[in-house]
Every structure is written in structure tokens, then in C-alpha cells.
Amino acid sequence: AQKVTQAQTEISVVEKEDVTLDCVYETRDTTYYLFWYKQPPSGELVFLIRRNSFDEQNEISGRYSWNFQKSTSSFNFTITASQVVDSAVYFCALSEAGGYQKVTFGIGTKLQVIP
Amino acid sequence: EPEVTQTPSHQVTQMGQEVILRCVPISNHLYFYWYRQILGQKVEFLVSFYNNEISEKSEIFDDQFSVERPDGSNFTLKIRSTKLEDSAMYFCASSEGRSSYNSPLHFGNGTRLTVT
């Protein structure tokens, strides 16, 4: 069975601070995929990134960066120089290779960026 | 960029009534999904659908639920005899292929269902 744990339920930061959202996962598969989604107050799910289990390269996209460490089963997400528009709930998620994209989501981390 | 479209954005229904949530997946996609998010909780998988049949479903997806692709474009989720605990945001998703490797899920904006 697969599981995603986001230990931080809510985080508040002041604008321009950096913030890291933690994600720890469990899976028995050797091939799996990790995701981060953003859910703004309007409610839609916005895809941010997908990572394959066999690619441990970290990734940077503008102010966003992701640190994938297979050894600790973690896939952390950092926002640099946070902005008010980053305020949202962020979900880490996992899907295993065999299924029909049955994605398991974490409980989400609510990020509030204070101006 | 093509989008998954869900209607209505908000549906209010009385307990015991049947409700149909509608989705138009991206046109060249072959795999369709419904996910559910109870307010303040995580997003949960309900069902996947391929080749006009259910390919996988969760324990949440009991006999109260059904899915259908009535024509070439729509994908629907029917909830018979709704209960208060069915109140949630329902997300439709589609993908071109089966694997997350080369075919990520595209989610719609969701339908918020309120059962009173």
C-alpha cells in the first residue's frame, strides 16, 4: 500500500521568506511517480511537478525547487522569496507504476504568505 | 492548452436525491478518473475508466456510485440516493495513457457538491 505524509498542516511565512514543504512517502514499488499540486482558494488542482523514481535529479523552476531523496523517501518542495500569491494548499502525491494512475495524495500543507 | 471541463461548478441537492456530475475530458485522452475531496481533507481516488469499463475503483466507490461515458465526449459520475457525507469537491481527470511516466493526469476545476 502506498502512503504520503505531509507532517506540516499549516505554515505561515512573511512575504519574501523562503519556505520548505515536507513530504515523505511509502511504497513497495521500485518504479513510482511523485507529484506536487497546488490548490488555491478557488479550489482547482494545479499540477506543479512530476518526478520519476529513477530520476533523483533535483529540479528548479523559477522560485520553486524540489529535492528528491530516495534514501529518506522524501520529496520536499521549496519556495524561494515567497509571495502572497503562493498562499494555497499544497499536496504531495504518489502513484505506482502498475495501476491506472491511482494517485495517493497527502493531507496537504496550507501555506499562508503574509504581506 | 486543452482542458478538462466540469459542470456544474456547484451543485446543491437534497439528501436521497440522485445527482449526475458531468465532465468533458480532453479529446484525445483515453483514460478517465474521478477523485473526491471532502472539505479540508485530502483528495481521494474513486474510480478509473478505460475502454467503456471500470478499470479500478476504491472502497469508497460502492454501489451508490456509477460512471458512464454516454457519448464520445462526456464522462459522468452518478450518485444515487445522496447522503450528507457525499458533500465534497469532485474532480474529474483524464490522461492520454495509463502510465504516469509519459501521461500525467489533467484535472478539471471540480464540482462542489453540497447535500442538504
Side-chain angles (χ1 to χ4, degrees):
Chain A
Q2 52 196 41
K3 185 178 175 183
V4 176
T5 301
Q6 295 179 255
Q8 308 146 308
T9 52
E10 287 194 43
I11 300 176
S12 288
V13 298
V14 176
E15 201 171 19
K16 296 184 184 173
E17 284 184 350
D18 299 347
V19 59
T20 295
L21 310 182
D22 297 332
C23 174
V24 174
Y25 62 90
E26 293 175 33
T27 177
R28 292 180 184 165
D29 270 21
T30 54
T31 302
Y32 51 89
Y33 309 95
L34 296 163
F35 308 85
W36 276 94
Y37 285 88
K38 174 182 180 180
Q39 187 176 45
S42 47
E44 71 270 25
L45 285 170
V46 179
F47 169 80
L48 295 178
I49 189 172
R50 178 190 65 215
R51 214 79 192 118
N52 307 324
S53 56
F54 42 85
D55 180 2
E56 283 194 74
Q57 273 193 331
N58 292 327
E59 184 156 335
I60 298 175
S61 176
R63 296 185 297 107
Y64 295 170
S65 62
W66 290 270
N67 185 327
F68 176 28
Q69 292 200 342
K70 229 170 168 178
S71 59
T72 55
S73 298
S74 65
F75 185 44
N76 296 337
F77 173 31
T78 297
I79 301 174
T80 303
S82 58
Q83 300 175 1
V84 173
V85 293
D86 296 328
S87 297
V89 180
Y90 291 86
F91 291 98
C92 181
L94 163 75
S95 74
E96 294 171 340
Y100 286 87
Q101 300 219 42
K102 180 180 175 181
V103 179
T104 296
F105 285 78
I107 194 72
T109 296
K110 183 176 182 180
L111 174 66
Q112 185 177 14
V113 181
I114 304 164
Chain B
E1 187 176 324
E3 289 182 345
V4 175
T5 306
Q6 289 187 244
T7 55
S9 56
H10 191 188
Q11 172 105 35
V12 181
T13 190
Q14 286 191 327
M15 195 168 53
Q17 296 294 307
E18 176 183 283
V19 66
I20 297 176
L21 309 183
R22 302 182 191 280
C23 169
V24 178
I26 295 173
S27 61
N28 65 330
H29 285 187
L30 300 176
Y31 297 80
F32 314 111
Y33 313 83
W34 284 100
Y35 283 76
R36 179 181 83 173
Q37 183 186 28
I38 294 172
L39 184 64
Q41 298 187 24
K42 63 181 176 181
V43 180
E44 300 172 292
F45 170 81
L46 289 179
V47 66
S48 58
F49 189 86
Y50 170 70
N51 200 26
N52 281 319
E53 60 182 28
I54 291 173
S55 44
E56 192 168 359
K57 62 181 181 179
S58 72
E59 57 275 9
I60 302 169
F61 194 88
D62 59 23
D63 293 343
Q64 179 197 12
F65 294 92
S66 61
V67 289
E68 192 178 32
R69 190 155 161 82
D71 53 42
S73 59
N74 289 285
F75 178 52
T76 62
L77 173 69
K78 182 190 289 186
I79 310 175
R80 287 181 279 274
S81 190
T82 49
K83 298 177 280 197
L84 293 176
E85 53 265 38
D86 294 326
S87 296
M89 180 78 98
Y90 288 83
F91 290 101
C92 174
S94 69
S95 66
E96 195 172 352
R98 174 177 171 172
S99 168
S100 293
Y101 172 67
N102 55 3
S103 186
L105 291 178
H106 294 253
F107 282 94
N109 285 349
T111 293
R112 183 169 298 284
L113 176 66
T114 302
V115 182
T116 61

